[in-house]
Amino acid sequence: MVDAPAQNGDSHQIADDDVAMAGTNGDEKKDLKDIKLEDLFADGDSDEEFPSTRNDETDNPLALSPVTNGNGISSSDPELLRMFYQRLFPFRYLFQWLNHSPTPTNDFGHREFALTINDVSNNEIYLRYQSYPTADLIRKDIVSKLPSRFEIGPVYTTNPRDRKTLRNQNSFKPLAKELCFDIDLTDYDGIRTCCDKANICVKCWQFMTMAIKVIDTALRDDFGFKHIMWVYSGRRGVHAWVCDKKARVMDDQKRKAIAGYLEVIRGGSQSGKKVNLWRPLHPHLSRSLEILAPHFQEDVLETQDPWAESDRAEHLLSLLPDKTLNESLRKKWASSPGRASTSKWADIDALAKSGASKGLDTRALLEAKQDIVLEYTYPRLDIEVSKKLNHLLKSPFVVHPGTGRVCVPIDTNRLDEFNPMAVPTVQELLSEIDDWAGPAPGGKTPADWEKTNLKPYIEQFRSFVLALMRDEHDPKIKREREENEGMDF
Amino acid sequence: MLRQDFNRSDPKRRVLADHRKKQFAAPTYHETEYHHRLNFYATPPTADITLEQFEQWAIDRLRILAELEACSFRNKSLTETASHMKPLLEKYLLLQPNSSSSSKLFEERQKDHYSHFILRLAFASTEDLRRRFSRVETMLFRLRLNDESPRDRDAFIQSINLDCEQVTEDERNKYRDELAALTSSKKGVEEEVTWVKVDWEKVPDLVESRRVFVKAGKAYVPSKEQSSMVIAEFTKRLDRALDLTARALPRLDEDDRLTPILNHLSKNFITPDASYVGSSSSVSGADISARNIDTLSAQFPLCMQNLHRTLRRDAHLKHFGRLQYSLFLKGIGLNLEECLIFWRSAFHKITDDTFNKEYRYNVRHVYGDVGGDSNRRGGGYSPFSCQKILTEHPPGPGEAHGCPYRHFSLENLTTLLQGVGITDRSVLNGVKEDKESQKFHMACNRVFEHVHKNEIKRAKDESIMTSAQLETIIHPNEYFKRSYLLKNLGKTNSEDIKMEDS
């Protein structure tokens, strides 16, 4: 589900940070109280005990303490949120994105928003079925309610606020929503060695890079979708929003079909081999394998070194088909403890060629190796998010309450450069406004967001939205839509 | 017969049909002819039949549909279902191919046609009935389509208008490798494959299982998969027609000949799931309380034992695990207060605060204590049946729900079974075979019979339980109930006697 709840253990960790900084800000007591608030942001399943951004991998000093920066203000502080929503949040583009037109339509007006608010006694309130006719009204309501985050749901047949006034309750149905994907690094805990739980670093972020490449290619090439936005979820994952008209109106069955098409890693903690595929490989899978192979060599074998320890190497052996070959591999690896995964991977072929096993089925071995590459690289989707039309997903540009980072869109053209640790936090952004030197002589005063590091992200969002609106207004497409509506009746 | 006026809700056409003119107009329909054994049921029947025929035909078809649904609940494969259904179909709903010389072809097909439309009326009233009706009708259609001779099938497919185009030679060359990956058979025999191209939305199930090549929103379907396209189209048209029927239904209200029959028919088609609502699955005399769950868990089916062990090991379960287990506990008669105590003490690593904020609501929702109106009125969800556990929400990383017989690898399953005390080699081998042939419920019943073999023998010998009471278990709560009854054969009887004495 939605990303990264801060947990119980979190508050201790953060509290420690604060005590260490107590000398500098003298605001310690307030912080502790505020951070207690963090417990409330939990949702869904959250099993991590001590989430915090791994900081030894980055040289960005600001990333050292994700929740509190130099100012020592928690990212869910109401004043901070108010300034953020008032001065930085791109409500107008959010409106255009969901409205598909500059003038208000039902696409926006009947859209559900769900707000997470903390009341005076720090209880978390979850407000579903909020809706707004225009960009100004959503802005006004968000600024007055100051939700710590909000989520976007589907467009309904009628205004969600009026759902109880309908004579026939059954006629209140979800009609359309972007096709969404959620990928979360916690699902990689079985295969990543650098971090676990909610922690991330640049090394394991590569799994996200691979995932985006594979899913994005499949959605564009195979299904013909054009308007796909990838968004950093604020802590340890990414969301995808497929915004094409065709994708938005899909029913649950079609969503399930796409989800199933893209899902390869199946099975729970006890199911052993997680990749079971028909041969020959489906074109989507052989293409994905091509995309993933270099990453497997570099980001998995070399960086993650997943089979260095002998019990993890044992898992590798359990995935290989030939018992005799496994025996000789086990012997070889036992004699050189700590042998690097790259060498172990090479050993498989080397020993296979040397004839260590008589009745070796080379084809079965090759297929098993392909399966292993996929198990260690193929995207692990949280598939429930994609299957249901009425699933809610956190809005882009919301602040992640645990890390303070803004959920910014990811530029897929420069995917490899994206560094989650360098994503601005709300505290940094607000101090950037304060530090802004003033307009260039003769130039007009820019908007607040243009004074900050949020600028490239909002510009990217704007051009995405513009392209989407252009396509919606192509007269040919419009006619097609009207026809469809006529038929649906 | 009953003619539904499909135009009724179409405002554009309403103008054309002045009802006075229409009343005396010549009928626009023709006498139905059946060229094919298969039928898409596009046109409603128009000829007269007697009320007896009306009822009898409907009951015959209902028998078939109920049996088909039972097959799917027992997780039978398509071929098993086909062989199971064959004698029943011959008895109740025989349809012979064009090639047969039978003189009854017309009568058979007419009965099939009419009974379908009668049941359509009976099952159009609620969303749930519509969904189930369309599911089993699709199963029936699938069975018949697979049974059809290739020539008849092609002729039938030609007769329905599927919106697809042939893939040209150029395109086939362009995507030669991709297309080859989908057709090359293991035997290496290259068959002549024809490809058609459709919008991928038309064949969602083929896309989902990656049995077609998808490019730029088009699915390239090989000839062997085209039947599933036809089936998808069948379901689609049927669902649409059912919706229309539902809207036309109110006009039937005044009919006191048909409405009782139709109501009666639809009542005979209740959900097996619903039978577990309430206390029917709980056992009397048992101490069902939070502190007793550890003891009772020895009599739980493997799926629940696994959840219980995981819970005790990790002091936590993920969402679907909690859902599956809470519902089961509710089913065995654990009340809401006890259930909250149970979860609270099981999650001993978290604070009261966290529990109250994150989990309490969930548990209460399951019991129908909170949530929407319908949830509260219905007393929450029903406990999951094996069917549901086997087919919905397979466990993902770190999740412990699902059916161990299905979702565990064989090694892990064997370890788990040995962990709960099943060490008999013949049983373990049997489970292995069941798992390989995908008969997961058989494996579970095999284990049950092994664990309770003495009691079952006694129950049979002393005829305490009839064989009907000992048939295949298809619900985890039934597993527990039967296990509990068997283990306490002597005790419950003596208690009953005592109570009578006093």
Side-chain angles (χ1 to χ4, degrees), chain A residues 421-436:
Chain A
M421 257 65 71
V423 169
T425 66
V426 59
Q427 295 91 339
E428 289 164 28
L429 290 172
L430 291 173
S431 62
E432 277 164 16
I433 301 183
D434 295 340
D435 296 346
W436 188 65

Side-chain angles (χ1 to χ4, degrees), chain A residues 28-98:
Chain A
E28 181 195 343
K29 204 165 177 193
K30 178 167 179 292
D31 278 342
L32 281 174
K33 183 171 160 284
D34 277 334
I35 282 146
K36 189 107 178 39
L37 230 151
E38 302 285 358
D39 296 351
L40 308 172
F41 294 111
D43 77 279
D45 260 295
S46 39
D47 301 292
E48 58 279 14
E49 298 273 302
F50 297 101
S52 76
T53 311
R54 275 275 287 232
N55 40 42
D56 46 342
E57 301 304 333
T58 166
D59 40 14
N60 180 356
L62 286 172
L64 280 172
S65 78
V67 174
T68 54
N69 72 352
N71 302 330
I73 302 173
S74 150
S75 51
S76 51
D77 180 277
E79 273 317 305
L80 202 72
L81 283 174
R82 174 169 295 122
M83 292 215 279
F84 175 73
Y85 285 131
Q86 260 176 351
R87 307 181 70 172
L88 291 172
F89 195 95
F91 284 106
R92 179 143 309 276
Y93 301 131
L94 182 86
F95 167 79
Q96 291 175 348
W97 170 47
L98 299 174

Side-chain angles (χ1 to χ4, degrees), chain A residues 45 47 221-222 261 270-271 280 282, chain B residues 181 210 212 216-217 316 319 412:
Chain A
D45 260 295
D47 301 292
D221 292 2
D222 297 359
Y261 182 84
Q270 297 287 313
S271 51
H282 185 273
Chain B
R210 290 192 288 262
V212 289
H316 190 261
H319 173 77
N412 291 333

Side-chain angles (χ1 to χ4, degrees), chain B residues 313-372:
Chain B
R313 192 192 63 210
D314 303 344
H316 190 261
L317 278 181
K318 289 203 162 202
H319 173 77
F320 283 114
R322 294 199 302 272
L323 188 61
Q324 181 175 330
Y325 200 34
S326 301
L327 284 169
F328 172 77
L329 292 175
K330 180 173 102 167
I332 69 170
L334 191 72
N335 63 32
L336 175 59
E337 290 73 44
E338 286 291 325
C339 195
L340 282 168
I341 296 172
F342 171 75
W343 285 112
R344 178 61 204 110
S345 53
F347 283 17
H348 56 76
K349 285 189 193 156
I350 59 168
T351 61
D352 275 348
D353 230 25
T354 321
F355 181 80
N356 287 341
K357 271 169 201 147
E358 287 176 44
Y359 303 108
R360 178 179 287 273
Y361 186 90
N362 248 211
V363 179
R364 289 176 62 200
H365 195 266
V366 159
Y367 275 76
D369 195 40
V370 287

